[in-house]
Amino acid sequence: MSTTTVAAAPVLHPGQTIRRADRRLGVLMLAPALLYITLLVAVPFLLALFLSLTNSSAGSLQFSFVGLQNFQNVVASPVFRRSLRNTFVFTFVSQLAVMVLGNILARALMRPFFGKTVARFVILMPWAAPISLATLGWLWIFDSTFSVINWLLKVLGWLGPGQWYYWLGDPTLGMVAIITIHVWRMLPFSTVILLAGLTAIPNEVREASAIDGAGTLARIFQVEIPMMRPILTVAVLFGVVFTFTDMSVVYLLTRGGPFNSTHVLASLAFQDGVLGGDVGRGAAVAIFLVPVLVVLAVLMLRSSRRAEVV
Amino acid sequence: MAASSMPRRAAGTVVHRATILFFLAFAVFPFYWMVVTSFKQNADLYVGATNVKHNPFIFNLPPTLDHLRILFGQTLYLTWLRNTLFVGVIVIAITLLLAVPAGYSLARLTGRWGERLSIGIFLTYLVPATLLFIPFSRLVSLLGLQNSLWSLVMIYPTFTVPFCTWLLMGFFKGLPKEIEESAMVDGCSRSGAIWRIVLPLAVPGLLTVVIFTLTLVIQEFVYSLTFISSVERMTVSVGVPVALVRGDVYYWGSLMAACLVTSVPIAIVYNFFLDRFIAGFTVGAIK
Amino acid sequence: MQTRRQFVVRGTKLVAIGAAAAATGPTIFVRDAKADTTLKILQWSHFVPAYDKWFDPWAKEWGAKRGINVTVDHVGFADVVPRATAEVAAQSGHDVHMFLGLASAFEEHVIDLADVVANLEKKYGKQVELAHRSTYNPFTKKQFALSDMWVPDPGNYHKEVWSKIGMENGPSTYDDLVKAAPEIKKVAPQMQIPIGIGLSQDIDSNMAVRNILWCHGGSIQDKDGNVVLNSPETLRALEYTRKLFSVGMTQAVLSWNAASNNQAFNAQETAYILNSISAYRTAQDNKLPVIPNYFFTPALKGPTGIQLASEHVMSGYVVWKFSKSQEAAKEFLVALVDASRDSMLGSKLYNFPSFYGAAAEPNTPANRKQESGAAWIAAQCNKDPFGSTPPDKLGLLAKSLPWSTNLGYPGFANPAEGEIFDTYVLTDMFAKAATGALSPKDAMAEASTRAKQIFDKWRQKKMVPGGGKDK
């Protein structure tokens, strides 16, 4: 079907029909993964969607249909609205911090220096530690009775006589603690990706802009970052998904407290659905995660593809 | 320009060093505390932070090996490590077996509808665990896999396969088509070309999948908490809290030791493969 | 998926069989020789590790003698409910599941244990009232769980500090706490939190706020299952807590987990906590400097003299309907109560028997068993076999029954109360009122709305009474 010449190898343009044998092979190669994903993700997802419309409880799949009751109750609940807001705030703030800090760290890692291998190893460790165990460590570090951070601040004289930071007992400080852990955990991974993006920028481009008289900041923002757009998109996308759906840090650190003020959607769904036994309600809460993620993901995928064309 | 850049460069080095040190401190500070706590006596640990005379970062009482003894002697820590590794290796194998052909197929053999499908596949990655955990329980029991590591082996690829397929698709797209095409002109079949030409070139991408999958498997604890109840079949993420957090008594020393012993080898492995991982991830993700 | 009617029919049949069997005397359980060769038990990791070291081999040995292969799996106490949820969804897993006082939500998935309780009461006399009210649903008339032990919740106080302010026996009323807090700050300025009562989303705080609520005359439900949270008594409790928080606590208590009060007391950073003896045993094991000053008081009295504290832990063993070893499970539960003395000693006096008569001297006539058991328990508490100085430090625990009560007071523990417990509705209310995040009236209104929502949901399932007279 496709013609070959001696001189050039055949090139398939988009729009040109793919050879039939290839197409069959393509379906064959895709089938196992597709089957697996459909059976084990799509179907359970639809079932969970269905459960959110029921009053199923305590894990029993016996239920009666209650329509949108769960969603109505959930949306009316101030705890839910707070946790929706928290989910966005945590994700946005921590990812912003990770991008800024990651860029700085990636640049610093580009230059050779003494002990670079060891430094790289140490910087990678937060990503390597299992999150449940690392969060337990942070639990002690932030526990206001024993907090080593507070001790340090007191010794350095930054805390006055009556002052003390109740990290986990104050809604705002609790959010700071959670965001810190997210940043601590994601930084190594994002740094690594950004490092790759930076090293991919040809040196000539950097030198050319320096010769043009561009200052460092201008160079960074107007030349390098646009060039790194696809990479940045990946790093941000991955970080956002990871943080947005994470339940472990919140659950292990504050249990959503004080008084349910640091919950995110994932941890609230766990508390209501699994601990409280109201499966329908838990499913309703968790479902709010999906549309937001879908929108974010589609936006980013599209923007990254557009950047590629340039 | 050279004359004025000398002090500038010196200042730049100081800033550079300071930056590196700052990030090192930020990354390592909890681990340092974990190391010290692993060897501290409990009486040295349970002292309030308002007591400025008591420095929590050093040993005020002689260090002890008790916590390590509890961890290795009285809990099944090594068994849990073995279990985690077992699940990890098999899940990596399954992920590679499913995602590599799928990724290639979407990159080369399916055209437009493949593009759209790939986005759909990626989106399944976004479905959170808290939503799927109830239907999964039913499925696990229907297959008689409750309390078995095989339940995890079956479930874990649900969060590795979608993302890795998408990643590998991009990666394969990034490989120049000409190489395969010329091999096929020379008489090679498509499958032959894949096997002999493309896969060897894809090693960075494959390594990326391996490392990424291993990370997610080790971190995961919601599913393993749900499906595994016997202590000797637990993975590290679940076994450690179950044995060392007993209601209102936390065995901090042993907990922190467990965290360290698990993290260090993993970090070494990552560091070793870091450059190839970067290459694979970025190429795959951009395209 | 069976309908409710089928569940009820099955349940009734089982009760009928059980009742008939109970009527036929000691050899009551019909054993099919072929069935019941395995028994899988799911149990929490006991706060006192020594107990598990006794329990696991004991259970296996019990099984071995009868040709039953017994396996015991442990789970963290916070994971008891999620694990049950998963097993019910899967309709398979263990045979016996131990809950910590809140089995009622799973009532529809467990068998009726009326025959077991009847058997045990015949042998040992009645179980303690709070155990009865935590394991029986008078609305559905189902004995959904069996309790073998409960744990009292005394006050733990720091003798040196309280002596310095002139109360060497610690506080006896809630008002004492408010009066003492500023004094404690003066004599012990290094203590971060004078009064260590949690207001967070954890089990200790859940118990503490209920104690405060009940002692001020309020409660979530009344005897008949109507929601009465919206009341002047509740407001009084909230205002009291607000006062207490401002003079004696810090924000730290808003994020405490179950270990936090233990840790704070053992580090001598607080002068009073509400806790079982687990913190004390930890201090003993680690030879912490707080030990010479570690003492206990009974529950505090409210302004009108009500003296009540919740049990800290109440075991509730259920047998799943999907279990294939139901008979063996029931026999096991009987044997567990038989071993009440070993259980109490194995847990270092943490566990108190739900059937006092099971701790009686052997060969006591059935009608004297409860007395004898109580006497043995008192003997242990007055002469702590695990090294307290003075040896009668734990003596007050022997007299804790009059002031200990169950979750759901003044009614029975039921699924609605359970869900309110598990989703921290009450601790939220108290925390918001105490910190001023909401006015006490608003906090009470918010909690009351949520409580009614939850109760109504369970009323729709016909598992909880009331509804006509919600406040």
Side-chain angles (χ1 to χ4, degrees):
Chain A
M1 243 74 54
S2 61
T3 53
T4 58
T5 65
V6 176
V11 171
L12 289 167
H13 303 288
Q16 186 175 352
T17 27
I18 302 175
R19 298 187 326 213
R20 207 181 284 156
D22 272 353
R23 184 174 290 160
R24 216 179 301 139
L25 186 63
V27 172
L28 219 62
M29 288 172 79
L30 184 56
L34 208 55
L35 198 66
Y36 178 84
I37 291 176
T38 311
L39 279 179
L40 263 85
V41 184
V43 169
F45 172 62
L46 290 172
L47 181 59
L49 207 61
F50 184 59
L51 281 175
S52 71
L53 301 170
T54 72
N55 67 351
S56 169
S57 79
S60 154
L61 291 186
Q62 174 208 29
F63 48 72
S64 16
F65 202 66
V66 295
L68 292 175
Q69 182 78 41
N70 282 324
F71 287 97
Q72 283 172 327
N73 287 344
V74 157
V75 169
S77 144
V79 171
F80 168 79
R81 289 199 295 263
R82 176 89 195 222
S83 70
L84 186 62
R85 194 192 91 179
N86 285 345
T87 314
F88 279 98
V89 168
F90 290 173
T91 309
F92 179 71
V93 173
S94 62
Q95 284 317 299
L96 192 63
V98 166
M99 277 303 117
V100 168
L101 292 174
N103 264 292
I104 299 176
L105 181 56
R107 272 158 220 287
L109 283 178
M110 273 175 61
R111 284 207 246 168
F113 58 90
F114 175 71
K116 182 166 175 177
T117 331
V118 175
R120 245 175 39 161
F121 165 77
V122 167
I123 288 176
L124 271 180
M125 278 195 69
W127 177 251
I131 189 64
S132 58
L133 302 179
T135 308
L136 283 176
W138 280 103
L139 181 62
W140 183 272
I141 293 176
F142 278 123
D143 179 327
S144 48
T145 314
F146 300 102
S147 168
V148 294
I149 297 183
N150 284 357
W151 183 89
L152 210 56
L153 292 176
K154 187 143 197 222
V155 158
L156 291 175
W158 286 5
L159 282 176
Q163 276 189 301
W164 198 244
Y165 285 127
Y166 298 102
W167 293 102
L168 305 175
D170 175 276
T172 317
L173 288 179
M175 288 170 68
V176 169
I178 292 175
I179 291 175
T180 307
I181 300 182
H182 277 306
V183 170
W184 178 80
R185 206 245 288 224
M186 288 302 304
L187 191 59
F189 186 78
S190 303
T191 305
V192 156
I193 298 181
L194 289 172
L195 189 55
L198 274 175
T199 42
I201 298 180
N203 276 327
E204 307 86 60
V205 174
R206 221 174 289 133
E207 280 157 27
S209 59
I211 291 177
D212 277 348
T216 320
L217 276 178
R219 186 191 59 185
I220 293 179
F221 280 100
Q222 282 161 10
V223 179
E224 291 185 354
I225 291 197
M227 283 199 77
M228 281 169 52
R229 242 230 298 200
I231 281 285
L232 277 176
T233 307
V234 170
V236 171
L237 182 62
F238 186 79
V240 162
V241 171
F242 223 72
T243 318
F244 207 77
T245 55
D246 171 80
M247 139 189 139
S248 359
V249 174
V250 171
Y251 181 65
L252 294 171
L253 199 71
T254 62
R255 217 87 47 74
F259 41 84
N260 280 326
S261 61
T262 57
H263 262 305
V264 291
L265 290 177
S267 58
L268 186 64
F270 188 76
Q271 179 175 292
D272 282 350
V274 179
L275 295 180
D278 193 337
V279 172
R281 189 186 170 105
V285 172
I287 280 176
F288 278 89
L289 281 166
V290 179
V292 178
L293 284 173
V294 168
V295 167
L296 280 173
V298 168
L299 280 176
M300 290 200 198
L301 286 176
R302 241 195 252 151
S303 103
S304 105
R305 219 174 315 142
R306 224 180 291 135
E308 197 191 315
V309 175
V310 173
Chain B
M1 232 179 335
S4 63
S5 72
M6 276 276 276
R8 223 155 147 258
R9 219 180 297 146
T13 317
V14 169
V15 168
H16 180 242
R17 291 257 175 82
T19 314
I20 296 278
L21 276 173
F22 168 74
F23 283 106
L24 275 180
F26 181 54
V28 96
F29 147 74
F31 289 108
Y32 171 73
W33 178 81
M34 285 183 202
V35 169
V36 171
T37 306
S38 305
F39 296 102
K40 252 195 200 191
Q41 291 187 34
N42 280 335
D44 193 1
L45 181 67
Y46 289 122
V47 179
T50 42
N51 187 343
V52 255
K53 284 188 237 122
H54 172 99
N55 183 340
F57 291 105
I58 61 172
F59 293 106
N60 298 286
L61 292 174
T64 168
L65 288 175
D66 278 345
H67 304 305
L68 286 177
R69 252 179 246 134
I70 294 179
L71 180 66
F72 286 102
Q74 295 183 22
T75 69
L76 295 172
Y77 181 64
L78 291 170
T79 309
W80 300 328
L81 279 179
R82 231 197 339 256
N83 292 339
T84 311
L85 221 59
F86 173 76
V87 172
V89 166
I90 301 188
V91 171
I92 288 176
I94 293 181
T95 307
L96 286 174
L97 278 172
L98 291 181
V100 171
Y104 183 83
S105 159
L106 288 172
R108 291 271 194 266
L109 305 176
T110 51
R112 269 273 155 73
W113 66 267
E115 291 258 324
R116 302 221 176 86
L117 196 57
S118 73
I119 297 191
I121 290 179
F122 177 77
L123 291 178
T124 59
Y125 173 65
L126 304 175
V127 181
T130 28
L131 207 51
L132 298 174
F133 131 99
I134 297 280
F136 278 162
S137 309
R138 232 343 151 86
L139 181 63
V140 163
S141 103
L142 271 172
L143 296 174
L145 290 179
Q146 62 275 24
N147 201 26
S148 158
L149 286 172
W150 292 103
S151 66
L152 300 183
V153 166
M154 180 182 75
I155 301 279
Y156 279 4
T158 56
F159 48 80
T160 58
V161 167
F163 191 82
C164 293
T165 304
W166 178 76
L167 201 66
L168 285 172
M169 176 184 89
F171 184 83
F172 285 126
K173 274 209 193 148
L175 294 178
K177 288 190 198 166
E178 292 74 41
I179 304 183
E180 297 156 62
E181 304 290 345
S182 56
M184 288 193 292
V185 167
D186 285 347
C188 200
S189 71
R190 172 71 77 173
S191 355
I194 296 175
W195 192 249
R196 248 170 286 158
I197 313 275
V198 177
L199 275 185
L201 283 177
V203 168
L206 301 181
L207 258 166
T208 307
V209 166
V210 169
I211 291 187
F212 181 76
T213 305
L214 191 63
T215 309
L216 290 188
V217 166
I218 294 179
Q219 306 268 354
E220 205 289 322
F221 90 106
V222 176
Y223 290 139
S224 112
L225 173 70
T226 313
F227 301 133
I228 308 277
S229 39
S230 298
V231 183
E232 67 270 8
R233 300 210 194 122
M234 286 180 178
T235 55
V236 168
S237 285
V238 174
V240 168
V242 162
L244 295 173
V245 176
R246 309 184 76 99
D248 57 0
V249 182
Y250 282 60
Y251 289 82
W252 290 103
S254 309
L255 280 167
M256 295 302 106
C259 186
L260 279 171
V261 174
T262 316
S263 319
V264 169
I266 297 177
I268 293 179
V269 168
Y270 287 359
N271 202 23
F272 192 63
F273 289 114
L274 195 58
D275 298 308
R276 296 177 127 197
F277 174 78
I278 295 177
F281 197 93
T282 56
V283 173
I286 300 179
K287 289 307 167 103
Chain C
M1 294 186 219
Q2 298 178 291
T3 61
R4 269 219 55 82
R5 205 180 305 138
Q6 281 176 297
F7 272 135
V8 172
V9 167
R10 279 253 305 245
T12 326
K13 272 209 212 128
L14 275 173
V15 171
I17 295 178
T24 55
T27 55
I28 64 167
F29 296 126
V30 182
R31 273 291 302 281
D32 181 346
K34 281 278 281 283
D36 295 8
T37 49
T38 64
L39 185 66
K40 290 189 287 218
I41 302 170
L42 187 72
Q43 174 133 314
W44 68 328
S45 298
H46 200 288
F47 284 12
V48 178
Y51 177 84
D52 288 342
K53 290 206 188 84
W54 164 77
F55 184 87
D56 292 4
W58 172 84
K60 290 210 172 61
E61 223 190 284
W62 174 87
K65 282 197 216 130
R66 291 163 179 72
I68 305 176
N69 183 12
V70 174
T71 39
V72 182
D73 289 322
H74 292 276
V75 81
F77 85 98
D79 301 322
V80 166
V81 171
R83 187 58 65 72
T85 305
E87 293 200 359
V88 167
Q91 286 295 293
S92 76
H94 294 76
D95 302 296
V96 177
H97 194 106
M98 176 199 173
F99 283 89
L100 301 168
L102 293 162
S104 42
F106 292 88
E107 194 187 303
E108 24 176 358
H109 308 294
V110 304
I111 68 177
D112 196 316
L113 295 174
D115 49 350
V116 175
V117 171
N119 178 15
L120 287 169
E121 290 195 331
K122 208 145 172 269
K123 279 206 282 192
Y124 298 124
K126 284 223 167 306
Q127 58 183 327
V128 299
E129 184 63 16
L130 60 149
H132 171 62
R133 285 163 176 265
S134 302
T135 54
Y136 179 73
N137 185 342
F139 192 64
T140 59
K141 304 223 191 318
K142 186 166 185 177
Q143 182 76 42
F144 54 84
L146 175 83
S147 169
D148 78 306
M149 67 89 161
W150 64 284
V151 177
D153 197 20
N156 305 207
Y157 74 99
H158 194 286
K159 202 170 187 90
E160 190 190 334
V161 170
W162 285 85
S163 303
K164 278 198 196 152
I165 65 172
M167 296 168 96
E168 64 212 9
N169 290 320
S172 39
T173 69
Y174 278 102
D175 287 331
D176 282 345
L177 289 182
V178 167
K179 273 188 245 142
E183 305 290 316
I184 294 177
K185 276 197 194 155
K186 277 192 229 137
V187 306
Q190 81 285 359
M191 279 195 167
Q192 289 183 37
I193 309 167
I195 306 289
I197 295 185
L199 292 176
S200 63
Q201 305 185 180
D202 91 300
I203 182 175
D204 286 345
S205 306
N206 253 328
M207 302 301 184
V209 300
R210 278 166 177 75
N211 295 354
I212 298 178
L213 183 64
W214 296 331
C215 287
H216 283 80
S219 62
I220 299 176
Q221 62 175 353
D222 65 8
K223 283 195 286 65
D224 305 311
N226 299 307
V227 177
V228 296
L229 195 54
N230 211 348
S231 69
E233 288 83 17
T234 306
L235 266 181
R236 220 175 295 146
L238 291 176
E239 313 248 320
Y240 166 79
T241 313
R242 190 146 76 127
K243 185 93 207 291
L244 182 63
F245 183 82
S246 66
V247 299
M249 289 142 77
T250 69
Q251 281 176 296
V253 307
L254 297 172
S255 64
W256 270 3
N257 57 35
S260 307
N261 60 351
N262 301 34
Q263 287 165 183
F265 195 88
N266 282 338
Q268 306 196 75
E269 294 289 350
T270 180
Y272 179 83
I273 63 172
L274 283 165
N275 207 65
S276 60
I277 63 174
S278 51
Y280 176 63
R281 294 302 187 203
T282 307
Q284 282 182 311
D285 290 339
N286 288 293
K287 307 202 197 349
L288 296 179
V290 71
I291 280 290
N293 289 308
Y294 205 130
F295 282 81
F296 297 92
T297 66
L300 298 175
K301 297 200 183 96
T304 54
I306 307 177
Q307 186 189 24
L308 284 174
S310 169
E311 35 81 2
H312 200 76
V313 168
M314 164 81 62
S315 80
Y317 282 89
V318 304
V319 179
W320 297 117
K321 279 191 172 146
F322 57 71
S323 159
K324 303 212 174 51
S325 302
Q326 292 179 7
E327 295 311 318
K330 288 193 205 172
E331 286 191 28
F332 175 77
L333 292 179
V334 172
L336 187 57
V337 174
D338 288 341
S340 289
R341 277 200 186 187
D342 294 330
S343 161
M344 186 165 184
L345 290 173
S347 65
K348 296 198 186 175
L349 305 191
Y350 186 85
N351 292 5
F352 271 56
S354 296
F355 289 84
Y356 266 32
E361 291 298 318
N363 303 321
T364 332
N367 60 342
R368 309 284 309 280
K369 279 232 161 114
Q370 272 179 301
E371 249 182 81
S372 166
W376 181 86
I377 293 172
Q380 305 312 305
C381 296
N382 288 320
K383 199 151 176 260
D384 181 11
F386 300 98
S388 289
T389 317
D392 65 347
K393 200 178 264 200
L394 301 177
L396 79 158
L397 294 180
K399 299 180 248 163
S400 58
L401 209 45
W403 47 259
S404 297
T405 187
N406 57 295
L407 297 175
Y409 173 85
F412 282 64
N414 59 44
E417 285 264 347
E419 190 173 331
I420 291 175
F421 188 93
D422 284 332
T423 51
Y424 308 112
V425 173
L426 232 55
T427 55
D428 267 9
M429 173 178 81
F430 272 84
K432 284 181 177 157
T435 55
L438 284 180
S439 74
K441 257 207 150 117
D442 289 337
M444 183 173 77
E446 191 182 84
S448 180
T449 309
R450 182 85 182 102
K452 280 189 255 193
Q453 236 177 34
I454 293 177
F455 263 81
D456 280 334
K457 187 184 74 166
W458 288 97
R459 285 174 188 144
Q460 270 172 17
K461 295 182 187 228
K462 307 251 189 328
M463 288 170 67
V464 157
K469 307 223 196 88
D470 285 353
K471 284 222 205 134

